[in-house]
Amino acid sequence: MFARNLWYVAAWADEVTTVPLARTFLNEPVVLFRGTGGSVAALEDRCCHRALPLRHGDVVGDCLRCAYHGLEYDLNGQCVRIPGQDKIPSKARVKAYQVVERDDLIWIWMGEAEKADASKIPAYPWHRDSKWKYRKNTYLIDADHLLIYDNLLDLTHLGYVHKQTIGGDAETHFAATTKTTRTDNGVRVERWMLDCVPPPTYTSSYTFGTDRVDRWQEIEFEPGLVRIFTGAKDVGTGAPEGNRDGGFGFRGLNAMTPETDDTTHYFWSAAHNFRLDEPSVTDEIYRNIVITFGEDKEIIESQYRSMKRTPDRPFIDIGFDIAPVQARRLWAAMIKAESAPAPL
Amino acid sequence: MFARNLWYVAAWADEVTTVPLARTFLNEPVVLFRGTGGSVAALEDRCCHRALPLRHGDVVGDCLRCAYHGLEYDLNGQCVRIPGQDKIPSKARVKAYQVVERDDLIWIWMGEAEKADASKIPAYPWHRDSKWKYRKNTYLIDADHLLIYDNLLDLTHLGYVHKQTIGGDAETHFAATTKTTRTDNGVRVERWMLDCVPPPTYTSSYTFGTDRVDRWQEIEFEPGLVRIFTGAKDVGTGAPEGNRDGGFGFRGLNAMTPETDDTTHYFWSAAHNFRLDEPSVTDEIYRNIVITFGEDKEIIESQYRSMKRTPDRPFIDIGFDIAPVQARRLWAAMIKAESAPAPL
Amino acid sequence: MFARNLWYVAAWADEVTTVPLARTFLNEPVVLFRGTGGSVAALEDRCCHRALPLRHGDVVGDCLRCAYHGLEYDLNGQCVRIPGQDKIPSKARVKAYQVVERDDLIWIWMGEAEKADASKIPAYPWHRDSKWKYRKNTYLIDADHLLIYDNLLDLTHLGYVHKQTIGGDAETHFAATTKTTRTDNGVRVERWMLDCVPPPTYTSSYTFGTDRVDRWQEIEFEPGLVRIFTGAKDVGTGAPEGNRDGGFGFRGLNAMTPETDDTTHYFWSAAHNFRLDEPSVTDEIYRNIVITFGEDKEIIESQYRSMKRTPDRPFIDIGFDIAPVQARRLWAAMIKAESAPAPL
Ligand code: FES
Ligand code: FES
Ligand code: FES
């Protein structure tokens, strides 16, 4: 059961080319392609003739041609050519999904067509901001997407899951001041670890002026993604008061799109705001995230298999579950609203 | 749901030796073997003692001995020895299937025993004809067998699926004259492409006298197999009128036997009628078919997965579907006849 | 359907260390670990917080700490620490299973807790006896555990399945005198092959005084394991009368613990009572068993797949099935007793 009336990330913009890209979203097989005119389209990945997935096809102009018997579909899914015959039945078409290219991402609308509103697409301007450099990847996670939100919204696991990498000492994380607030459309967590030792992943690419820093973590959830802004500055140089210039700043995009009931596309990017001209720094930060997310992936997938085995057993909540629990309530409310009968 | 009352190909004759060969047909596990006397038998692949598949056993004379506790079965499936005891219960037997060796093939009858009639076995004399040379293979296709008939009966896909190999230009295929006729027991398609350029797979092994040829494709379907006879001769030398001597002639056997609901044994051979003394020519023609069928296999298996996902969605038919649709009707009629109550 | 109220082998003692060992028994995922104090515990492999399997965790003192958010469980499954909070809900606990370390094995009780009685644990003193040397292994068999009992209790298969290894001539095995008796808690088979040629696996590590030997096989079944005592002595030197000193003696432990309905843990050891100071002899005997059990594994797993396909079809019994049939009756009676309503 997924919320459908929201924009999900379908792909990185540079993944969608004139070579068709097949991806399943919310259990529906979709084929993405870019016409030779540059427009992006997302069609149902099933030819209406004999069901061959269109992923095998070729882009011909602004059409996708089925690899089996050559039917051609335009960007709207309408069949515009049937080899060997002039008449094209009006039913010869496949479903088309609305897509928007923005912030280096392709966003897709899997819900009720008339409710799609491109102005509601979550912003992620840092992909286009010259003060930031980023690298990105796409993972397939063998777990329900909600487990990834749980993980991202609860940063106390850093001290356990990531004790060898970005985590550092577990006690530091429990001692952090944590403020959780509801936003218009999501949940926001702000944490401060004042006067602490920076973790190895910070010092490996950034040189602080002192041994101790003020360290922050801001996590913004809205359905479809989590923005993470973390960083640190020399202790006592004004970070908590709002001046974060000149420190170590990291921005992470985490966009989750359900593939099936049991699997999730995880699109992530890692951006930094210092040493912008040194690709090796960008690479080093990226590599740290690869390691970190690899640790999370192993935990989350094992956790999901365990949950699937006993789906009805209750959990014991603990204090740090506030933000994840709020996010889950928000999803549940969306799903409930979508399944409610329309107002009179 | 399979038609059962017909002869299916079970194996190539040289595949069946004194080393048992296990194969599933129509969801039933069968073990084929050749007694030391040369006779071929096909038994249920399950020992009646403790269910061990007999495939693990040894041929001893004209018997198959179970690998676990040594029960021995004769060619008719009757247990004729139980180690350590003299009395053999009459129930100690396994099912035996009727098999016939003909045209280098082993044919099996999976239907009602009393309806088996070896004179109804489809002929394929070219395996034994000194004017033809052939090579063969056995594929397992992850798809319903009907999809393979669809593929073989509609040669317009040559221009798309096989554009790099036997296909050549797609438009040539649409422009071909096509005559589809019902035969006693099947469907026959005859196509002519007059005054056209021969495809690369023809010219790679045969030297025509001119640049342009008259090219034919004859496809004969009957339940269980499709015979394909294709070829070309120098343009205007009488091929359409019936004189095909001296040209490039190819005969393909395509025998499909359902393994399970989702998988099909595909036995095929490729024969040619020129340069018979040059094994490299036979090999070259065989290799072209390997490549071609590899392309078909990928398409058909992907198509089948797609169909399985949405089994109840209708298809849009196009003009070229005549022969495949007729063949499917014939199968449906056979299945209906088999499930009808017996006449009074 | 498993009998639960008996002690099953869970692991070899040296497999259980401060690195958690995850194993499923009777369809229940369990994690075994050894506290730093040396005690062994077996807990449900599912954290009560968010279901992460505890196998990922770390042993901290005599506790197991969950790898995700750090909850700590003691040897009894009680949660004794929740990071970041003082109060621990009483429901914060996981199931603990009773375990006993004995004879180099860890035994586990998966049944009703109040019925566990460590004095009922089957004895296997030869692991701790200086007159015997052994090597061991743990296999996972893709079959129901009862098929392994069938195999071990019927040694006529030696002449077929193991004709290349420990079997030797099949006729020798049928000619053996076989005595099958019910014991208090199981079945005992005693077989003698007098004045016969010793099999290659005997002569490869032991030099007899003569060409012919008296050979014995004693098989003791009780639910959970089979003890095998086989050997041979120079013909006519008193073995059948009870004097087995100075011959070739072999003791095999075979302990089967269901993992799931379809898979079984198979713990086995191979001990011998001669040339005790020569590790190469112990290795040679071990290697012979590895080969032999590999042959059995292939047969048993194939047999199980075959049985699963047609679960309701009956079997034909033969004379040598007496002991296996008795053992199966004993299991059936245990299962029936466990599912019976408690007495008033
Ligand atoms: S399946 Fe697409 S054109 Fe036939
Ligand atoms: S299973 Fe075939 S003889 Fe026992
Ligand atoms: S899942 Fe174990 S501590 Fe959270």
Side-chain angles (χ1 to χ4, degrees):
Chain A
M1 195 74 156
F2 302 118
R4 304 184 67 87
N5 287 333
L6 71 153
W7 291 95
Y8 283 108
V9 171
W12 292 99
D14 62 7
E15 289 182 301
V16 181
T17 67
T18 52
V19 177
L21 172 69
R23 229 164 232 174
T24 293
F25 305 115
L26 283 58
N27 292 322
E28 298 182 17
V30 172
V31 60
L32 297 152
F33 69 98
R34 199 178 282 275
T36 51
S39 300
V40 170
L43 304 182
E44 182 186 356
D45 193 19
R46 176 191 179 278
C47 180
C48 68
H49 174 229
R50 286 295 181 266
L52 185 74
L54 293 172
R55 74 187 67 169
H56 303 285
D58 290 314
V59 169
V60 181
D62 271 348
C63 287
L64 184 54
R65 185 177 66 202
C66 180
Y68 207 167
H69 313 93
L71 266 65
E72 291 176 19
Y73 299 92
D74 69 14
L75 300 171
N76 300 311
Q78 183 61 52
C79 177
V80 293
R81 178 164 186 251
I82 297 181
Q85 74 190 60
D86 294 332
K87 202 167 152 5
I88 295 172
S90 62
K91 282 186 173 173
R93 54 172 297 118
V94 297
K95 184 171 179 179
Y97 299 89
Q98 294 175 68
V99 281
V100 173
E101 183 165 1
R102 187 172 296 172
D103 296 331
D104 294 358
L105 295 159
I106 306 294
W107 297 84
I108 193 166
W109 183 265
M110 302 293 293
E112 297 159 82
E114 64 282 5
K115 295 199 173 158
D117 174 356
S119 74
K120 297 272 178 63
I121 292 174
Y124 204 78
W126 299 282
H127 284 161
R128 296 294 199 163
D129 183 335
S130 63
K131 294 203 287 293
W132 295 82
K133 271 262 154 65
Y134 80 95
R135 277 193 67 184
K136 62 180 169 61
N137 210 331
T138 305
Y139 285 1
L140 187 65
I141 308 289
D142 285 332
D144 178 64
H145 67 143
L146 296 182
L147 292 188
I148 307 174
Y149 290 100
D150 288 348
N151 178 280
L152 293 165
L153 283 166
D154 163 38
L155 293 187
T156 60
H157 77 272
L158 293 182
Y160 295 108
V161 179
H162 309 303
K163 56 181 180 282
Q164 310 298 347
T165 48
I166 58 169
D169 177 49
E171 301 305 327
T172 307
H173 290 275
F174 307 136
T177 63
T178 300
K179 201 171 80 190
T180 301
T181 44
R182 278 293 309 268
T183 61
D184 269 9
N185 184 28
V187 178
R188 187 174 193 285
V189 180
E190 185 172 336
R191 310 179 74 221
W192 283 94
M193 288 159 276
L194 300 180
D195 194 5
C196 69
V197 177
T201 49
Y202 284 23
T203 50
S204 75
S205 58
Y206 187 85
T207 308
F208 290 97
T210 59
D211 280 355
R212 298 184 76 83
V213 296
D214 291 334
R215 182 177 169 193
W216 65 89
Q217 296 172 324
E218 289 173 5
I219 311 155
E220 280 176 15
F221 155 74
E222 66 182 289
L225 80 169
V226 171
R227 299 180 193 89
I228 292 189
F229 182 21
T230 60
K233 264 185 76 177
D234 291 346
V235 64
T237 59
E241 293 77 29
N243 171 12
R244 297 183 191 169
D245 295 343
F248 173 105
F250 169 89
R251 284 196 189 272
L253 171 72
N254 305 271
M256 277 67 71
T257 307
E259 182 191 48
T260 66
D261 294 330
D262 298 319
T263 54
T264 303
H265 299 289
Y266 181 10
F267 304 91
W268 61 266
S269 69
H272 63 100
N273 65 353
F274 55 92
R275 299 175 69 183
L276 298 177
D277 299 331
E278 297 172 58
S280 68
V281 169
T282 313
D283 288 348
E284 167 71 9
I285 288 168
Y286 171 82
R287 263 196 306 273
N288 278 322
I289 301 296
V290 166
I291 294 167
T292 305
F293 285 2
E295 292 165 342
D296 283 319
K297 185 178 194 296
E298 189 192 338
I299 290 292
I300 287 169
E301 293 180 342
S302 179
Q303 182 192 20
Y304 186 62
R305 284 190 295 274
S306 177
M307 285 179 170
K308 286 270 287 186
R309 223 182 45 80
T310 51
D312 299 322
R313 287 184 56 184
F315 297 127
I316 304 289
D317 284 344
I318 64 174
F320 285 118
D321 294 325
I322 297 174
V325 165
Q326 284 188 349
R328 281 183 173 255
R329 281 200 197 122
L330 217 140
W331 280 110
M334 284 181 71
I335 289 172
K336 195 170 163 204
E338 289 189 12
S339 57
L344 289 182
Chain B
M1 195 76 158
F2 302 119
R4 305 184 68 85
N5 287 334
L6 71 155
W7 292 95
Y8 283 108
V9 172
W12 291 99
D14 62 7
E15 289 182 301
V16 181
T17 68
T18 53
V19 177
L21 172 69
R23 228 164 233 174
T24 293
F25 305 115
L26 283 57
N27 292 321
E28 299 182 16
V30 172
V31 60
L32 296 152
F33 69 98
R34 200 180 281 275
T36 50
S39 301
V40 170
L43 304 182
E44 182 187 357
D45 194 18
R46 176 191 180 277
C47 181
C48 68
H49 173 230
R50 287 294 181 266
L52 185 74
L54 293 172
R55 73 188 68 169
H56 302 286
D58 290 315
V59 169
V60 181
D62 271 347
C63 288
L64 184 55
R65 185 175 66 201
C66 179
Y68 207 166
H69 313 93
L71 266 64
E72 292 176 20
Y73 300 92
D74 68 14
L75 301 171
N76 301 310
Q78 183 61 52
C79 177
V80 294
R81 178 165 186 250
I82 298 180
Q85 72 189 62
D86 294 331
K87 204 167 148 5
I88 296 172
S90 63
K91 281 186 172 172
R93 54 171 297 117
V94 296
K95 183 170 178 180
Y97 299 89
Q98 295 174 66
V99 282
V100 173
E101 183 165 1
R102 187 172 298 174
D103 296 331
D104 293 358
L105 294 159
I106 306 294
W107 298 84
I108 193 166
W109 183 266
M110 302 294 294
E112 296 158 83
E114 64 283 6
K115 296 201 174 159
D117 173 357
S119 74
K120 296 272 178 63
I121 292 175
Y124 204 78
W126 301 281
H127 284 160
R128 295 293 198 164
D129 183 335
S130 61
K131 294 202 288 293
W132 295 82
K133 271 264 154 65
Y134 79 95
R135 278 192 66 184
K136 61 178 171 60
N137 210 330
T138 306
Y139 286 0
L140 187 66
I141 308 291
D142 286 331
D144 178 63
H145 66 143
L146 296 183
L147 292 187
I148 307 175
Y149 291 100
D150 287 349
N151 178 279
L152 293 165
L153 284 168
D154 163 38
L155 294 186
T156 61
H157 77 270
L158 292 182
Y160 295 109
V161 179
H162 309 304
K163 56 180 180 281
Q164 311 297 346
T165 48
I166 58 168
D169 177 48
E171 301 305 327
T172 306
H173 291 275
F174 307 136
T177 63
T178 300
K179 201 171 78 191
T180 301
T181 45
R182 279 292 309 268
T183 61
D184 269 9
N185 184 29
V187 179
R188 186 173 193 285
V189 180
E190 185 171 336
R191 308 178 77 220
W192 283 93
M193 287 159 278
L194 301 179
D195 194 6
C196 69
V197 177
T201 49
Y202 283 24
T203 50
S204 75
S205 57
Y206 188 84
T207 309
F208 290 95
T210 59
D211 280 355
R212 300 185 74 82
V213 297
D214 292 331
R215 182 176 169 195
W216 65 87
Q217 297 172 325
E218 289 174 4
I219 311 156
E220 280 177 14
F221 156 75
E222 65 182 288
L225 81 167
V226 171
R227 299 179 194 89
I228 292 189
F229 182 21
T230 60
K233 263 185 77 176
D234 291 347
V235 63
T237 58
E241 293 76 29
N243 171 13
R244 297 184 191 166
D245 295 343
F248 174 105
F250 170 89
R251 285 196 188 270
L253 170 73
N254 305 271
M256 278 67 70
T257 307
E259 181 190 49
T260 66
D261 294 331
D262 298 319
T263 54
T264 303
H265 300 288
Y266 181 10
F267 304 93
W268 61 266
S269 69
H272 62 103
N273 64 353
F274 55 91
R275 299 173 71 182
L276 298 176
D277 298 332
E278 297 173 58
S280 67
V281 169
T282 313
D283 289 348
E284 167 71 8
I285 289 168
Y286 171 81
R287 264 197 305 273
N288 278 323
I289 301 295
V290 165
I291 294 167
T292 305
F293 285 1
E295 291 165 343
D296 283 319
K297 186 178 193 296
E298 190 192 337
I299 290 294
I300 287 169
E301 294 181 341
S302 179
Q303 182 192 20
Y304 187 61
R305 285 191 295 273
S306 176
M307 285 180 170
K308 287 270 286 187
R309 223 183 44 82
T310 51
D312 300 323
R313 287 184 56 184
F315 297 127
I316 303 289
D317 284 345
I318 65 173
F320 286 118
D321 294 327
I322 297 174
V325 165
Q326 284 188 350
R328 281 183 173 255
R329 281 201 197 121
L330 218 139
W331 279 110
M334 285 181 71
I335 289 171
K336 196 171 163 202
E338 290 189 11
S339 58
L344 289 182
Chain C
M1 195 77 159
F2 302 118
R4 305 185 66 86
N5 286 335
L6 71 154
W7 291 96
Y8 283 109
V9 172
W12 292 98
D14 62 8
E15 288 182 302
V16 181
T17 68
T18 52
V19 178
L21 172 69
R23 229 165 232 175
T24 292
F25 304 116
L26 284 58
N27 292 322
E28 298 182 17
V30 172
V31 60
L32 297 151
F33 69 97
R34 200 179 280 277
T36 51
S39 300
V40 170
L43 304 181
E44 183 187 354
D45 193 19
R46 177 192 178 276
C47 180
C48 69
H49 174 229
R50 286 294 181 267
L52 186 73
L54 293 172
R55 74 188 67 170
H56 302 285
D58 291 314
V59 169
V60 182
D62 271 347
C63 288
L64 184 54
R65 186 176 66 200
C66 180
Y68 206 167
H69 313 94
L71 265 65
E72 291 175 20
Y73 299 91
D74 68 14
L75 300 172
N76 301 310
Q78 183 60 51
C79 177
V80 294
R81 179 164 186 251
I82 298 180
Q85 73 190 60
D86 294 332
K87 203 166 150 8
I88 294 172
S90 63
K91 283 186 172 172
R93 54 172 296 117
V94 296
K95 183 169 179 180
Y97 300 88
Q98 295 175 66
V99 281
V100 173
E101 183 166 1
R102 187 172 298 172
D103 295 330
D104 293 358
L105 294 159
I106 306 295
W107 298 84
I108 193 166
W109 183 265
M110 303 294 294
E112 296 159 82
E114 63 283 6
K115 297 201 172 158
D117 174 357
S119 75
K120 296 272 178 62
I121 293 175
Y124 204 78
W126 300 282
H127 284 161
R128 295 293 199 164
D129 183 335
S130 62
K131 293 203 288 294
W132 294 82
K133 271 263 153 61
Y134 80 95
R135 278 192 67 184
K136 62 178 169 61
N137 209 332
T138 307
Y139 285 0
L140 187 65
I141 309 290
D142 286 331
D144 177 65
H145 66 143
L146 296 184
L147 292 188
I148 308 175
Y149 291 99
D150 288 348
N151 179 280
L152 292 165
L153 283 167
D154 163 39
L155 293 187
T156 61
H157 77 270
L158 292 183
Y160 295 109
V161 180
H162 309 303
K163 56 181 179 282
Q164 310 298 348
T165 48
I166 57 169
D169 177 48
E171 301 305 327
T172 307
H173 290 276
F174 308 135
T177 63
T178 301
K179 201 172 78 190
T180 301
T181 44
R182 277 292 310 268
T183 61
D184 268 10
N185 185 28
V187 178
R188 187 173 194 285
V189 180
E190 185 171 336
R191 309 179 77 222
W192 283 94
M193 288 160 275
L194 300 180
D195 193 6
C196 68
V197 177
T201 49
Y202 283 25
T203 50
S204 75
S205 57
Y206 188 83
T207 308
F208 291 96
T210 59
D211 280 356
R212 299 185 74 84
V213 297
D214 292 331
R215 183 176 168 194
W216 65 87
Q217 296 172 324
E218 290 174 4
I219 311 156
E220 281 176 13
F221 157 73
E222 66 182 288
L225 79 168
V226 171
R227 298 179 193 90
I228 292 189
F229 182 21
T230 61
K233 262 186 77 175
D234 291 346
V235 62
T237 58
E241 294 75 30
N243 172 14
R244 298 186 191 166
D245 294 343
F248 173 105
F250 169 88
R251 285 196 188 271
L253 170 72
N254 304 271
M256 278 66 71
T257 307
E259 182 191 47
T260 66
D261 294 329
D262 298 319
T263 54
T264 303
H265 300 288
Y266 181 11
F267 303 92
W268 61 267
S269 69
H272 64 100
N273 66 353
F274 56 91
R275 298 174 71 183
L276 299 176
D277 298 331
E278 298 172 58
S280 68
V281 168
T282 313
D283 288 348
E284 167 71 8
I285 288 167
Y286 170 82
R287 262 196 308 272
N288 278 323
I289 301 295
V290 165
I291 293 168
T292 305
F293 286 3
E295 292 165 341
D296 283 320
K297 185 178 194 295
E298 190 192 337
I299 290 292
I300 287 169
E301 294 181 342
S302 180
Q303 183 192 20
Y304 186 62
R305 284 191 296 274
S306 177
M307 285 179 169
K308 286 271 285 186
R309 223 182 45 81
T310 51
D312 299 322
R313 287 185 56 185
F315 297 127
I316 303 289
D317 283 346
I318 64 173
F320 286 118
D321 294 326
I322 297 174
V325 165
Q326 285 189 349
R328 280 183 174 255
R329 282 202 195 119
L330 218 139
W331 279 110
M334 285 182 71
I335 289 172
K336 195 170 164 203
E338 289 189 12
S339 58
L344 288 182

